Amino acid sequence: GIQVEQSPPDLILQEGANSTLRCNFSDSVNNLQWFHQNPWGQLINLFYIPSGTKQNGRLSATTVATERYSLLYISSSQTTDSGVYFCAVDPNTGFQKLVFGTGTRLLVSP
Amino acid sequence: EAGVAQSPRYKIIEKRQSVAFWCNPISGHATLYWYQQILGQGPKLLIQFQNNGVVDDSQLPKDRFSAERLKGVDSTLKIQPAKLEDSAVYLCASSPDLGEKLFFGSGTQLSVL
């Protein structure tokens, strides 16, 4: 099956810093979604981004489907950005189901 | 707009007991998913419904897990009998249709002792 690898696995930032999270996938996909899992376990959908670039406040995401990667940018990080960030891909298998990556654990300190 | 509702929030049972989880998706969402998330890992899909039909249950341990969505709205996931390795968070999610943006509930944290 498809492999979805995220980097870095762990990231510690000072409040106000910027960061880039990467998601690599091993095969073609129909779509890609980015999620934030907060410290209480709630998964929030950040982006639905099969290709191109989208922005939402301090967050933006870019997917280059032909090169099989996606990037999530966090600018001016805040303590509330802490948690685990997952990318999830829908492999081109016809089932339209999401396969989650390994996750990046982010800690933003004040 | 109400989100995906799940209950209970927490459940503690002994091995070999039975347990059931309930999920009510966002109104109008045709697709409903059950995921299992073991501590430190990403969610893993157990079963996917489109309205009241099963789209994919290839990763559901069918000897002990069952799920239904009889009227194409809410859904129940059951484990019978539970094993220690079933300790995890069980997440329900829904989307307007296949391949669209996914929305998750708060999950049920299951501990099997």
Side-chain angles (χ1 to χ4, degrees):
Chain A
I2 194 169
Q3 302 298 312
V4 186
E5 298 289 334
Q6 293 184 239
S7 61
D10 295 280
L11 187 58
I12 300 175
L13 297 175
Q14 200 76 16
E15 200 168 25
N18 303 328
S19 62
T20 301
L21 282 57
R22 187 177 181 100
C23 172
N24 290 331
F25 40 98
S26 60
D27 209 340
S28 60
V29 299
N30 290 321
N31 73 71
L32 184 146
Q33 303 184 41
W34 281 97
F35 295 86
H36 173 222
Q37 189 164 39
N38 66 25
W40 297 270
Q42 178 70 49
L43 276 156
I44 303 297
N45 195 309
L46 300 174
F47 293 102
Y48 177 98
I49 184 166
S51 64
T53 297
K54 290 187 176 180
Q55 180 146 11
N56 184 2
R58 296 180 298 103
L59 304 181
S60 65
T62 296
T63 297
V64 185
T66 53
E67 297 187 22
R68 300 181 184 170
Y69 74 89
S70 183
L71 302 173
L72 178 69
Y73 305 93
I74 305 174
S75 64
S76 304
S77 59
Q78 301 176 357
T79 56
T80 51
D81 295 330
S82 297
V84 183
Y85 289 81
F86 290 103
C87 68
V89 301
D90 174 6
N92 200 3
T93 60
F95 287 106
Q96 296 174 305
K97 64 180 185 182
L98 285 183
V99 176
F100 279 73
T102 50
T104 292
R105 185 174 301 275
L106 174 65
L107 176 63
V108 182
S109 58
Chain B
E1 178 182 279
V4 177
Q6 287 190 247
S7 66
R9 188 74 177 90
Y10 303 94
K11 190 74 178 179
I12 301 173
I13 62 173
E14 294 188 350
K15 60 183 179 183
R16 291 188 290 274
Q17 285 187 324
S18 302
V19 64
F21 314 124
W22 176 82
C23 172
N24 194 28
I26 293 173
S27 177
H29 281 198
T31 313
L32 184 147
Y33 313 77
W34 284 102
Y35 281 83
Q36 180 194 59
Q37 186 175 24
I38 292 172
L39 189 64
Q41 299 180 16
K44 183 186 84 172
L45 181 67
L46 293 175
I47 189 168
Q48 177 178 342
F49 293 93
Q50 178 69 0
N51 296 310
N52 60 350
V54 175
V55 174
D56 181 14
D57 63 358
S58 57
Q59 298 192 91
L60 188 73
K62 298 180 187 63
D63 58 333
R64 298 183 302 105
F65 286 64
S66 64
E68 59 185 16
R69 193 186 184 199
L70 293 177
K71 296 182 180 179
V73 181
D74 58 344
S75 175
T76 302
L77 176 69
K78 296 179 181 177
I79 308 175
Q80 180 179 9
K83 292 186 175 181
L84 297 177
E85 58 261 36
D86 298 333
S87 294
V89 176
Y90 290 85
L91 295 158
C92 180
S94 71
S95 62
D97 208 336
L98 286 170
E100 297 190 13
K101 190 171 181 177
L102 210 65
F103 298 88
F104 278 90
S106 301
T108 295
Q109 186 171 326
L110 173 67
S111 296
V112 183
L113 307 178

